[in-house]
Amino acid sequence: MAETDQRVVGSGRLRLQRADITTLEVDAIVNAANASLAGGGGVDGAIHRAGGPEIMSELRRRYQGCPTGSAVVTGAGRLRARHVIHAVGPRWRDGEHGEPEQLRSAYRAAFALAADCGCATVASPSISTGIYGFPIDLAAPIALGEASQALAEPATPLREIVYALFAETDLACFATALAGM
Ligand code: AR6
């Protein structure tokens, strides 16, 4: 799939790619989960389908939900990744209920967990901009800003964060936001 844009940050790289995240060979993929970690539609459904039942078994065994704005990690079952980081973004209401801060916090928690797990390469979807309705033009700068900060952390093992965007329009939106950074 075509690579459209990338940016060097510190000793790492931020990249945008049109892709189904479940196909990527990276150390960790981020899942756009819900607070009960119950699985669902969208990218969450795709990750559980492709990764197999092990991921849900581990979620049930180790965690009792995950508050909005935070993240937990499991193995990746049959996926080519080593870890799945389940991050919970906010459901969009009107933007006046802390949604931007919660989205920022979800990405920050996800990348911090990836670094704690020693990951060099991480792929993330655009959290909250599907079923949860967060406007993607507002979400993209938040997503890219948090990825840049994570890559710029001193001594981080992270070397590449790729946003795996499903739709061409989402990719274009992230590319515009990256150009404006
Ligand atoms: N690869 C990459 N991106 C994808 C894929 C994929 N395979 N499938 C969908 N997307 P969403 P949310 C994009 O709805 O808004 C679930 O039921 C999609 O086009 O997956 O955070 C959870 O259990 C969109 O741009 O997540 C929660 O209940 C982006 O991924 C709720 O949905 C996020 O869309 C979370 O909603």
Side-chain angles (χ1 to χ4, degrees):
M1 296 198 194
E3 182 177 293
T4 60
D5 218 340
Q6 59 177 40
R7 171 79 53 95
V8 172
V9 182
S11 52
R13 199 158 68 129
L14 178 54
R15 209 156 63 75
L16 310 181
Q17 186 178 348
R18 187 158 180 217
D20 172 352
I21 201 166
T22 62
T23 64
L24 299 182
E25 197 165 353
V26 285
D27 294 328
I29 66 176
V30 177
N31 180 20
N34 55 64
S36 37
L37 300 174
V43 72
D44 196 3
I47 286 172
H48 283 287
R49 270 194 307 278
E54 263 176 54
I55 300 175
M56 185 54 78
S57 308
E58 185 177 347
L59 280 173
R60 292 211 175 104
R61 194 170 64 244
R62 292 181 61 190
Y63 306 108
Q64 289 177 310
C66 175
T68 302
S70 58
V72 299
V73 64
T74 64
R78 295 194 294 258
L79 294 168
R80 295 205 283 174
R82 287 195 289 128
H83 309 282
V84 177
I85 296 173
H86 307 264
V88 183
R91 194 186 288 275
W92 180 262
R93 291 166 70 185
D94 55 8
E96 303 292 327
H97 290 80
E99 298 94 326
E101 294 74 19
Q102 287 174 330
L103 184 62
R104 198 178 300 287
S105 169
Y107 278 116
R108 193 169 297 177
F111 297 138
L113 255 183
D116 286 349
C117 294
C119 296
T121 55
V122 178
S124 177
S126 174
I127 298 172
S128 284
T129 63
I131 291 163
Y132 278 0
F134 201 118
I136 194 160
D137 56 322
L138 303 181
I142 293 173
L144 294 169
E146 285 307 315
S148 294
Q149 284 211 9
L151 288 166
E153 282 288 317
T156 181
L158 295 173
R159 287 291 167 269
E160 179 171 277
I161 296 176
V162 52
Y163 279 101
L165 300 158
F166 215 34
E168 191 64 50
T169 46
D170 293 351
L171 179 63
C173 198
F174 268 66
T176 302
L178 186 61
M181 274 173 72

Coordinates of all heavy atoms in Angstrom, one line a residue, residues 19-22 32-34 38-47 89-91 125-134 136 164-167 170, ligand 1:
A19 N -3.7 1.3 5.3 CA -3.6 -0.1 5.6 C -4.6 -0.6 6.5 O -5.2 0.1 7.3 CB -2.2 -0.3 6.2
D20 N -4.9 -1.9 6.4 CA -5.6 -2.6 7.4 C -4.6 -3.0 8.5 O -3.6 -3.7 8.3 CB -6.2 -3.9 6.8 CG -6.8 -4.9 7.8 OD1 -6.7 -4.6 9.0 OD2 -7.4 -5.8 7.4
I21 N -4.8 -2.4 9.7 CA -3.8 -2.5 10.7 C -3.5 -4.0 11.1 O -2.4 -4.3 11.6 CB -4.2 -1.7 12.0 CG1 -3.0 -1.4 12.8 CG2 -5.3 -2.4 12.8 CD1 -3.3 -0.3 13.9
T22 N -4.4 -4.9 10.9 CA -4.2 -6.3 11.3 C -3.2 -7.0 10.4 O -2.7 -8.1 10.8 CB -5.5 -7.1 11.3 OG1 -6.0 -7.1 9.9 CG2 -6.6 -6.5 12.2
A32 N -8.4 0.4 19.1 CA -9.4 1.4 19.6 C -10.5 0.6 20.3 O -11.5 0.2 19.7 CB -10.0 2.2 18.4
A33 N -10.3 0.4 21.6 CA -11.2 -0.5 22.4 C -12.2 0.4 23.1 O -12.3 1.6 23.0 CB -10.3 -1.2 23.4
N34 N -13.1 -0.3 23.9 CA -14.0 0.4 24.8 C -13.7 0.1 26.2 O -12.9 -0.8 26.6 CB -15.5 -0.1 24.4 CG -15.7 -1.6 24.5 OD1 -15.5 -2.2 25.5 ND2 -15.9 -2.2 23.3
A38 N -14.7 -5.2 26.0 CA -15.7 -6.3 25.6 C -15.6 -6.7 24.1 O -16.3 -7.5 23.7 CB -17.1 -5.8 26.0
G39 N -14.7 -6.0 23.4 CA -14.7 -6.2 21.9 C -15.9 -5.4 21.3 O -16.7 -4.8 22.0
G40 N -16.0 -5.4 20.0 CA -17.0 -4.7 19.4 C -16.8 -4.7 17.9 O -16.3 -5.6 17.3
G41 N -17.2 -3.6 17.2 CA -17.1 -3.5 15.8 C -15.8 -2.7 15.4 O -14.8 -2.7 16.2
G42 N -15.8 -2.2 14.2 CA -14.6 -1.4 13.8 C -13.3 -2.1 13.9 O -13.2 -3.3 13.7
V43 N -12.3 -1.4 14.2 CA -10.9 -2.0 14.3 C -10.8 -3.0 15.4 O -10.1 -4.0 15.3 CB -9.9 -0.8 14.3 CG1 -9.8 -0.1 15.6 CG2 -8.5 -1.4 13.9
D44 N -11.6 -2.8 16.5 CA -11.6 -3.7 17.6 C -12.0 -5.1 17.1 O -11.4 -6.1 17.4 CB -12.5 -3.1 18.7 CG -12.4 -3.8 20.0 OD1 -11.5 -4.6 20.2 OD2 -13.1 -3.4 20.9
G45 N -13.2 -5.1 16.4 CA -13.7 -6.4 15.9 C -12.7 -7.0 15.0 O -12.4 -8.2 15.0
A46 N -12.1 -6.2 14.1 CA -11.1 -6.7 13.1 C -9.9 -7.4 13.8 O -9.4 -8.4 13.4 CB -10.7 -5.6 12.2
I47 N -9.4 -6.7 14.9 CA -8.2 -7.2 15.6 C -8.6 -8.5 16.3 O -7.8 -9.5 16.2 CB -7.7 -6.1 16.6 CG1 -7.0 -5.0 15.8 CG2 -6.8 -6.7 17.6 CD1 -6.6 -3.8 16.6
G89 N -10.4 5.5 23.7 CA -10.6 6.9 23.4 C -12.1 7.3 23.8 O -12.9 6.4 24.2
P90 N -12.3 8.6 23.8 CA -13.7 9.1 24.2 C -14.7 8.9 23.1 O -14.4 9.0 21.9 CB -13.4 10.6 24.5 CG -12.3 10.9 23.5 CD -11.4 9.7 23.4
R91 N -15.9 8.8 23.5 CA -17.1 8.9 22.6 C -17.3 10.5 22.5 O -17.4 11.2 23.5 CB -18.3 8.3 23.3 CG -19.4 8.0 22.4 CD -20.6 7.5 23.2 NE -20.4 6.2 23.7 CZ -20.7 5.1 23.0 NH1 -21.2 5.2 21.8 NH2 -20.5 3.9 23.5
P125 N -4.4 2.9 14.8 CA -5.4 3.4 14.0 C -5.8 4.8 14.5 O -5.1 5.3 15.5 CB -6.6 2.5 14.3 CG -6.4 2.1 15.8 CD -4.9 2.1 16.0
S126 N -6.7 5.5 13.9 CA -7.2 6.8 14.3 C -8.2 6.5 15.4 O -9.4 6.3 15.1 CB -7.7 7.6 13.2 OG -8.3 8.8 13.6
I127 N -7.8 6.6 16.7 CA -8.8 6.2 17.8 C -9.9 7.2 17.8 O -9.7 8.4 17.6 CB -8.0 6.2 19.1 CG1 -6.9 5.2 19.1 CG2 -8.9 6.0 20.3 CD1 -5.9 5.3 20.3
S128 N -11.1 6.7 18.1 CA -12.3 7.5 18.4 C -13.0 8.1 17.1 O -14.1 8.7 17.3 CB -12.1 8.6 19.4 OG -12.0 8.1 20.7
T129 N -12.4 8.0 16.0 CA -13.0 8.7 14.8 C -13.9 7.8 14.0 O -14.3 8.3 12.9 CB -11.9 9.3 13.9 OG1 -11.1 8.2 13.4 CG2 -11.0 10.3 14.7
G130 N -14.2 6.6 14.4 CA -15.1 5.8 13.7 C -16.5 5.8 14.5 O -17.2 6.8 14.5
I131 N -16.8 4.7 15.1 CA -18.0 4.5 15.9 C -18.2 5.6 16.9 O -19.3 6.1 17.2 CB -18.1 3.1 16.5 CG1 -18.2 2.1 15.3 CG2 -19.2 3.0 17.5 CD1 -17.9 0.6 15.7
Y132 N -17.1 6.1 17.5 CA -17.2 7.1 18.6 C -17.3 8.5 18.1 O -17.5 9.4 18.9 CB -16.0 6.9 19.5 CG -16.1 5.9 20.6 CD1 -17.3 5.1 20.6 CD2 -15.1 5.6 21.5 CE1 -17.4 4.1 21.6 CE2 -15.3 4.6 22.5 CZ -16.4 3.9 22.5 OH -16.6 2.9 23.5
G133 N -17.2 8.7 16.8 CA -17.7 10.0 16.2 C -16.8 11.2 16.4 O -17.3 12.3 16.2
F134 N -15.6 11.0 16.9 CA -14.7 12.2 17.1 C -14.3 12.8 15.7 O -13.8 12.0 14.9 CB -13.4 11.7 17.8 CG -12.7 12.8 18.5 CD1 -12.5 12.7 19.9 CD2 -12.1 13.9 17.9 CE1 -11.8 13.7 20.6 CE2 -11.4 14.8 18.5 CZ -11.2 14.8 19.9
I136 N -12.4 13.8 12.7 CA -11.1 13.4 12.4 C -10.1 14.6 12.2 O -8.9 14.5 12.5 CB -11.0 12.4 11.2 CG1 -9.6 11.7 11.2 CG2 -11.4 13.0 9.9 CD1 -9.6 10.4 10.4
A164 N -2.0 3.7 10.7 CA -2.6 2.8 9.7 C -4.0 3.3 9.5 O -4.8 3.2 10.3 CB -2.6 1.4 10.2
L165 N -4.2 4.0 8.3 CA -5.5 4.6 8.1 C -6.2 3.8 7.0 O -5.7 3.5 6.0 CB -5.3 6.1 7.7 CG -4.5 6.8 8.9 CD1 -3.8 8.0 8.4 CD2 -5.5 7.1 10.0
F166 N -7.5 3.5 7.4 CA -8.3 2.6 6.6 C -8.8 3.3 5.3 O -8.8 2.7 4.2 CB -9.5 2.2 7.4 CG -9.9 0.8 7.2 CD1 -9.0 -0.2 6.9 CD2 -11.2 0.4 7.3 CE1 -9.4 -1.5 6.7 CE2 -11.6 -0.9 7.1 CZ -10.7 -1.8 6.8
A167 N -9.2 4.5 5.5 CA -9.9 5.2 4.3 C -9.0 6.3 3.8 O -8.2 6.9 4.5 CB -11.2 5.9 4.9
D170 N -9.3 9.6 5.4 CA -8.6 9.7 6.7 C -7.1 10.0 6.5 O -6.5 10.8 7.2 CB -8.9 8.4 7.5 CG -10.3 8.2 7.9 OD1 -11.1 9.2 7.7 OD2 -10.6 7.1 8.4
Ligands
AR6_1 N1 -7.3 -1.1 10.2 C1 -7.2 0.3 10.4 N2 -8.2 1.1 10.7 C2 -9.4 0.6 10.8 C3 -9.7 -0.8 10.7 C4 -8.6 -1.6 10.3 N3 -8.7 -2.9 10.1 N4 -11.0 -1.0 10.8 C5 -11.6 0.2 11.1 N5 -10.6 1.2 11.1 P1 -13.5 2.5 15.3 P2 -13.7 4.1 17.7 C6 -10.7 2.6 11.4 O1 -15.0 2.6 15.0 O2 -14.3 5.3 16.9 C7 -15.7 -0.6 18.7 O3 -17.0 -1.2 18.8 C8 -12.0 3.3 11.2 O4 -12.2 3.6 9.8 O5 -12.9 1.1 15.1 O6 -12.6 4.4 18.7 C9 -15.0 -0.6 20.1 O7 -15.2 -1.8 20.7 C10 -11.8 4.6 12.0 O8 -11.1 5.6 11.3 O9 -13.1 2.9 16.8 C11 -15.6 0.6 20.7 O10 -16.8 0.3 21.3 C12 -10.8 4.1 13.2 O11 -10.4 2.8 12.8 C13 -15.8 1.6 19.6 O12 -15.9 0.8 18.4 C14 -11.5 4.0 14.5 O13 -12.8 3.5 14.3 C15 -14.6 2.5 19.5 O14 -14.9 3.5 18.5

